[in-house]
Amino acid sequence: MRTKWCRAFPGLAEEVGHARRFVAALLEERGPVDDAVLVVSELATNAVRHSLSGAAGGWFVVVVSFGDDSDLVRIEVVDVGGEREPHLCDVTDRDEGGRGLALVAACAKDWGIKSWPDGRTVWADLVRESV
């Protein structure tokens, strides 16, 4: 049986910290806290900065799910969408940004994007620590 927790947040930069604490509290004894906090931080920041979630009245949703017999935890951030699709950037050492999805890809076993008519979900599967 797959268990899911979700929480909606206003599309404000200061809400990213609340999203990190939400994920950390859920995974405290289920692992992998550090990677999950990094992933949700990057994905929520991207939602606020690069989608309509950051516009007036915008929002984003964080979903955390895993099953009792699964060695994976899935972190998802649902946003309102926008003109540009998320993508891995080819960054140089001089670029100030653009590394978020590369960090997500580095810590995740797998990750991806699901587009919806009114938004999208960016997800990452992380390997759970032994519990």
Side-chain angles (χ1 to χ4, degrees), residues 78-93:
V78 181
D79 66 42
V80 183
E83 292 181 17
R84 297 182 339 165
E85 287 292 317
H87 62 281
L88 283 173
C89 293
D90 183 19
V91 295
T92 66
D93 291 341

Side-chain angles (χ1 to χ4, degrees), residues 35 38-43 46 50 86-93 95-113 122-126:
D35 286 348
L38 173 68
V39 166
V40 77
S41 183
E42 294 298 333
L43 298 183
N46 284 352
H50 304 297
H87 62 281
L88 283 173
C89 293
D90 183 19
V91 295
T92 66
D93 291 341
D95 291 336
E96 288 185 23
R99 292 177 179 82
L101 287 179
L103 288 170
V104 170
C107 357
K109 181 173 182 178
D110 196 13
W111 72 280
I113 301 162
V122 184
W123 58 269
D125 288 339
L126 305 173

Side-chain angles (χ1 to χ4, degrees), residues 24-69:
L26 286 174
L27 296 179
E28 185 174 13
E29 295 182 15
R30 299 178 180 115
V33 176
D34 293 339
D35 286 348
V37 167
L38 173 68
V39 166
V40 77
S41 183
E42 294 298 333
L43 298 183
T45 297
N46 284 352
V48 172
R49 285 187 183 168
H50 304 297
S51 82
L52 295 174
S53 291
W59 51 267
F60 65 93
V61 175
V62 175
V63 181
V64 179
S65 59
F66 55 88
D68 294 333
D69 59 346

